[in-house]
Amino acid sequence: MSEHQLGGRLCICVGAGGVGKTTVAAALARARAERGQRVAVVTIDPAPRLAQALGLDELSGEPRRVATGAGELWAMRLDPKRTLDDLIASLAADEGVRERALSNRIYRELSGAVAGSQEFSAVAKLYELDRDGGFDSIVLDTPPSRNALDFLDAPARLMRFFDGRALRMLVAQGGLAGRASAPFLGVLGRLTGAGVLREIAAFFVAIGGMLDGLAARAAAVETLLRDPATTFVVVTSPRRAVVEETIAFAHELRAAKLTLAALIVNRVHPAGAPLPPAGALSEALGERLAALVAASVKARDLRAAADQSGLALLREAFEGLATVVIPELEGELEDLAGLERLALYLEPRPGSSTVGSPSVAQ
Ligand SMILES: Nc1ncnc2c1ncn2[C@@H]1O[C@H](COP(=O)(O)OP(=O)(O)OP(=O)(O)O)[C@@H](O)[C@H]1O
Ligand SMILES: [Mg+2]
């Protein structure tokens, strides 16, 4: 990890829902591009304005270049179904096998459900971009996750689907309808009627020749996840409920021997200037207005204090880990200028393991 860079060459932004993963991933990528790197950022569900700023108005499974200064910023939106289709297509021995696999009814129904495992698509895409994209670094946004193992399990889950264990079990159990214990079993329930077994057989024939390739890819993806250059950046809010989830999640990452690069505590409410003495306030504003101002300052201070206590818990749980504190920022963040403002907090200051604005109480 470069001393001026937060996170490794490959950077996976993880964390609870709504804490700022997508925004931070885009800002991190932008900061790297500003330092001259050729960077790809893979986002999931960016806000419409952010998507527009990144040139992602439409779902785009291919990186598109964003106009920036020094380096190159390439952005793409994760398209799980397409990622899976591309993977299958790349493993097919020839055009005919490819067509038969992709047009198979069982594949078409089930791949949607498997592709629904965004964790797998995300890491599969990371692998592909790393291998073929010629990028200096890649920043990956992820869906809200509660379980770090969703990432590590993803390759194995995909294999379980494709080697047909789930399907075979279902057929052996005597029918396809009405068994909805897993998402794709629910999809299977709809596939009743003549010809289904024939389609299943055709599915196995089409996929059969790719199993070794799929297993190799799943193993390669897992190896990449465990590579020290692949680092996890945990994004969190300082709110108590989220802090607890974050601590559990980050411990899980470490227990799984994944590399935890940094903790980003986002949207921390700063403590403001203290109020003038009550007498001076009411003299200047009148009793009623002074009371309103005092109440709102008190609410602000309580929120700031609560955030500081969440922050303290996080620091205690992750002593020694680089911690970035980003304040609650005013104004538009969902454009390139907004990302640049956010990126200022993501640049480590020399000689400190803690980065973030000195204006935020830490
Ligand atoms: N430091 C900040 N100050 C103010 N607003 C912020 C800050 N960081 C992020 N936001 C805003 O918070 C909202 C949620 O951010 P974002 O979409 O990046 O979260 P997320 O973790 O990706 O959410 P999800 O889990 O739904 O994917 C956005 O409107 C974003 O502009
Ligand atoms: Mg998001």
Side-chain angles (χ1 to χ4, degrees), residues 243-267:
V243 161
E244 280 164 18
E245 195 178 321
T246 299
I247 290 176
F249 187 83
H251 281 320
E252 237 182 66
L253 283 177
R254 280 190 165 163
K257 305 246 179 312
L258 297 170
T259 308
L260 190 55
L263 186 65
I264 297 186
V265 192
N266 190 26
R267 307 192 74 162

Side-chain angles (χ1 to χ4, degrees), residues 62-312:
E62 286 299 318
R64 294 187 182 182
R65 176 122 189 229
V66 185
T68 45
E72 288 183 26
L73 177 59
W74 293 76
M76 65 174 284
R77 204 196 287 244
L78 188 70
D79 180 347
K81 169 86 170 100
R82 177 164 170 195
T83 302
L84 196 60
D85 287 352
D86 288 350
L87 172 57
I88 292 298
S90 74
L91 294 173
D94 59 47
E95 190 71 14
V97 174
R98 202 184 80 162
E99 272 311 299
R100 279 196 296 283
L102 295 181
S103 62
N104 180 274
R105 202 169 134 216
I106 303 291
Y107 174 79
R108 286 213 319 271
E109 286 284 344
L110 298 192
S111 61
V114 172
S117 158
Q118 288 186 324
E119 283 85 2
F120 178 77
S121 320
V123 292
K125 198 72 207 176
L126 182 71
Y127 175 86
E128 215 183 273
L129 288 173
D130 181 46
R131 198 189 54 178
D132 306 329
F135 293 105
D136 300 320
S137 85
I138 303 169
V139 182
L140 186 69
D141 174 30
T142 63
S145 310
R146 288 175 175 268
N147 190 342
L149 299 180
D150 284 345
F151 290 95
L152 267 185
D153 284 350
R157 262 200 323 268
L158 184 80
M159 276 315 290
R160 280 198 294 278
F161 164 60
F162 278 114
D163 73 9
R165 260 173 280 172
L167 266 175
R168 270 185 241 278
M169 211 163 61
L170 211 68
V171 174
Q173 278 170 359
L176 293 174
R179 297 175 196 277
S181 57
F184 68 84
L185 299 192
V187 176
L188 265 187
R190 295 205 300 271
L191 283 173
T192 51
V196 170
L197 288 176
R198 212 170 40 237
E199 288 270 350
I200 290 180
F203 170 80
F204 284 127
V205 171
I207 297 292
M210 301 179 196
L211 284 181
D212 288 347
L214 272 168
R217 178 63 61 93
V221 167
E222 184 172 340
T223 304
L224 180 69
L225 276 178
R226 292 192 181 281
D227 190 301
T230 306
T231 60
F232 286 76
V233 168
V234 178
V235 186
T236 183
S237 118
R239 289 206 326 267
R240 183 60 73 97
V242 180
V243 161
E244 280 164 18
E245 195 178 321
T246 299
I247 290 176
F249 187 83
H251 281 320
E252 237 182 66
L253 283 177
R254 280 190 165 163
K257 305 246 179 312
L258 297 170
T259 308
L260 190 55
L263 186 65
I264 297 186
V265 192
N266 190 26
R267 307 192 74 162
V268 176
H269 292 90
L275 270 181
L281 201 61
S282 47
E283 201 170 298
L285 300 176
E287 290 291 332
R288 284 187 54 198
L289 194 51
L292 281 176
V293 169
S296 115
V297 167
K298 190 170 171 205
R300 180 202 68 190
D301 288 347
L302 282 175
R303 212 168 41 196
D307 284 1
Q308 287 305 312
S309 90
L311 190 56

